[in-house]
Amino acid sequence: MPVFRPLLISLPLLWAGSVGAQTSASLTWDEAVHRLQQGSDQLAGARAVVAQRQAQAEGIARAGGPMVSAQGVAYTYRMSLDLDLDPLKQGLGNAVNLLPPQVAGMLPALPPLPSNYTIERRNSSQSASVNAVWPIYLGGAPDALRGMVGAQGDEAQADLQHSEDEAIAVLAQRYFQTQMARRAAALRDAAAAGVAEHDLAAEKMLKAGVASQLERLQAKAALQDAQYQARKARSDADLVAMALARTLKFDGIPAPSTPLALSSQALPSLQDFINTALTLHPGLAKIAAKKAQAEYLKAGTKALNKPQVFAFGQRSLSHNGDWLAGVGVRFNLWDSIDHQAMERSHQSQIHQAEAAEAQARSDIALLVERQWRSAEQARSQYISLAAQDELGQELLRLRRAGLKQGTSTAIDLIDAELNLSKLRTERAQVAYEHVMALVGLLQACGQIQSLADYLARADLRLE
């Protein structure tokens, strides 16, 4: 096993080096969102559904209107009829036999008749006419059909909005996770460089006899651990950057340039966000579309039981110019569908949509409150960590001065260096948690597109 250890350690280093060697390109948040909207296959599929529903609605916009058609016929025919003449021959013979002999003798002999005779007729002709049907009253069926298709379009639009919000939320996670990972890697690199300097100082102090062998070994172990943590942080940063690149179909390694940011001022009130969410959340729009579909289906079912009135006309285009016009009424006396049962079914769908809407409103309000509290908690935590950052810097300054004066050891200085790096990495993590909570909050409110505005107004930035 020890023989393979150098190879196993070198593999992640080679991979990280190969990733880092690729071209990095600066990428703002607005540019990332634009690339996502232009290149996402999932969003393209959702937009295709919306386009299909819109085209369908346009196709039936005039359903229930007049219909005019032209009909032309050209034909030729041949008809034949075979006549059996044997009964006629027998009848004539019997009739002659019934006559008096004197009279029968005076009659000339009957010509011989064939046993059968075929009559044949041939002809060709053509005709043309214009037909028109104008529905006058269809019980509201066309309106129900148009409403149904329109509600399906609203549902597709709500699905598209949901897909866009989900895609942007995933993008935000990967974009700002890349920001956080790159910052963590930079902090680890800086800490490793600082520990390397302190390790060199510990070695010199050992040779000068002012440090013990234990302190030297502690410094060396701290250096190796710091270097390992730096390599790991770089590898993690490259991995999340690669995930971001795959999400955006990006050539090379993207370098997010919009920093993690948060405001020193509190977010608007929780109730404002809840009111917005209960108005703009795409899930509520989808439920409303489902309810509308059930209502239009119910109306269509009722329309089938109502009488239908229509006008019709026909005019021949031939030389005689015959024409026909009238008004018709159609009413179903009985069919095989139980319309009352169908109406109860649609009414149950309406009740189901109403119950789903009530549950969704409760869930959305709870989601908004959870995300709002998480964002505020992370914001407060980030601000409170500022004092610890100042303390860490002051402690590092004192340890450096103490090392020169002989009141501190190299290990004390290394601990102060690593603790400050750890604290700043933790602050970056808290800033990332705030941004992610803000993303979830805006997504629940149907306003995730406004994330860029919140980041632009933020006054605390992790450049």
Side-chain angles (χ1 to χ4, degrees):
M1 185 66 182
V3 177
F4 299 99
R5 183 173 177 81
L7 178 60
L8 293 174
I9 294 176
S10 64
L11 286 177
L13 294 178
L14 290 174
W15 177 82
S18 63
V19 173
Q22 299 183 40
T23 303
S24 296
S26 177
L27 182 70
T28 67
W29 170 247
D30 289 335
E31 291 171 346
V33 173
H34 179 73
R35 287 184 66 93
L36 177 72
Q37 292 176 336
Q38 295 298 318
S40 172
D41 296 330
Q42 179 184 2
L43 297 184
R47 292 191 188 102
V49 175
V50 172
Q52 182 264 330
R53 293 302 186 188
Q54 291 175 344
Q56 188 178 24
E58 293 173 3
I60 65 168
R62 291 184 290 273
M67 295 172 288
V68 179
S69 62
Q71 177 178 312
V73 178
Y75 59 91
T76 182
Y77 67 89
R78 171 185 175 274
M79 294 189 302
S80 60
L81 177 64
D82 290 334
L83 298 178
D84 186 5
L85 299 182
D86 287 338
L88 179 61
K89 289 169 58 179
Q90 295 176 1
L92 290 175
N94 292 336
V96 172
N97 292 334
L98 294 175
L99 294 175
Q102 297 84 358
V103 177
M106 296 176 61
L107 293 175
L110 293 174
L113 295 176
S115 298
N116 60 351
Y117 185 76
T118 300
I119 300 175
E120 186 173 302
R121 181 80 180 267
R122 298 173 180 266
N123 197 6
S124 297
S125 184
Q126 62 275 338
S127 66
S129 62
V130 175
N131 305 290
V133 177
W134 192 321
I136 300 174
Y137 177 73
L138 298 179
D143 292 336
L145 176 61
R146 284 189 288 267
M148 176 69 180
V149 174
Q152 289 176 341
D154 294 340
E155 181 183 1
Q157 188 65 47
D159 287 337
L160 173 60
Q161 184 64 47
H162 175 74
S163 298
E164 287 182 344
D165 290 354
E166 284 288 338
I168 293 176
V170 172
L171 174 64
Q173 177 187 8
R174 295 179 178 177
Y175 183 93
F176 293 106
Q177 191 176 28
T178 301
Q179 277 277 37
M180 182 189 67
R182 289 165 64 90
R183 182 174 181 82
L187 290 171
R188 292 289 186 180
D189 284 338
V195 173
E197 294 180 2
H198 308 328
D199 174 72
L200 183 60
E203 184 178 0
K204 293 180 179 179
M205 293 172 66
L206 175 64
K207 292 179 179 179
V210 294
S212 67
Q213 181 66 27
L214 177 60
E215 291 177 346
R216 176 68 188 93
L217 292 176
Q218 288 176 330
K220 184 176 181 180
L223 174 61
Q224 290 181 351
D225 182 68
Q227 290 175 340
Y228 165 76
Q229 295 296 337
R231 291 195 299 269
K232 183 178 181 299
R234 287 196 301 271
S235 177
D236 292 342
D238 288 339
L239 184 59
V240 295
M242 183 62 70
L244 177 61
R246 297 283 175 82
T247 301
L248 298 176
K249 300 180 180 179
F250 198 88
D251 294 333
I253 301 299
S257 58
T258 300
L260 289 165
L262 60 167
S263 176
S264 58
Q265 302 298 319
L267 291 170
S269 69
L270 172 61
Q271 192 59 47
D272 290 343
F273 283 104
I274 291 178
N275 293 338
T276 301
L278 295 180
T279 303
L280 300 179
H281 194 284
L284 295 177
K286 181 179 178 69
I287 293 174
K290 287 288 189 182
K291 180 181 178 181
Q293 292 175 45
E295 291 173 342
Y296 284 119
L297 279 173
K298 181 180 178 180
T301 299
K302 288 184 175 181
L304 296 178
N305 280 331
K306 295 180 180 180
Q308 300 174 358
V309 182
F310 55 92
F312 62 91
Q314 183 183 64
R315 179 177 178 82
S316 174
L317 299 180
S318 60
H319 62 280
N320 53 15
D322 296 337
W323 60 271
L324 172 69
V327 177
V329 178
R330 179 180 180 275
F331 186 79
N332 280 344
L333 298 178
W334 182 87
D335 61 27
S336 58
I337 298 176
D338 188 340
H339 293 277
Q340 291 183 349
M342 294 297 296
E343 185 174 347
R344 291 197 304 270
S345 171
H346 300 320
Q347 188 62 45
S348 297
Q349 287 182 302
I350 295 174
H351 292 330
Q352 179 184 4
E354 291 173 346
E357 180 182 9
Q359 183 63 48
R361 286 181 172 274
S362 176
D363 293 343
I364 289 170
L366 180 61
L367 174 62
V368 169
E369 182 169 358
R370 183 169 66 247
Q371 297 290 2
W372 184 87
R373 293 186 183 279
S374 296
E376 278 296 281
Q377 181 180 358
R379 186 186 67 84
S380 299
Q381 184 181 2
Y382 181 85
I383 294 175
S384 67
L385 288 175
Q388 296 187 32
D389 187 274
E390 294 179 2
L391 176 62
Q393 293 183 58
E394 179 63 18
L395 181 61
L396 180 60
R397 187 187 67 80
L398 292 176
R399 290 289 184 260
R400 285 174 177 167
L403 184 64
K404 294 178 180 179
Q405 298 172 3
T407 58
S408 298
T409 65
I411 298 304
D412 293 333
L413 183 56
I414 289 175
D415 288 342
E417 187 88 43
L418 294 178
N419 286 336
L420 181 59
S421 175
K422 180 181 178 182
L423 175 62
R424 289 180 171 175
T425 301
E426 182 181 352
R427 287 196 81 193
Q429 176 67 33
V430 171
Y432 169 75
E433 291 173 357
H434 168 80
V435 172
M436 287 298 97
L438 181 61
V439 167
L441 178 61
L442 295 177
Q443 183 182 1
C445 295
Q447 292 185 322
I448 197 171
Q449 300 284 354
S450 63
L451 176 62
D453 297 333
Y454 276 86
L455 295 176
R457 293 195 299 266
D459 56 343
L460 303 177
R461 301 174 183 274
L462 278 72
E463 300 293 350

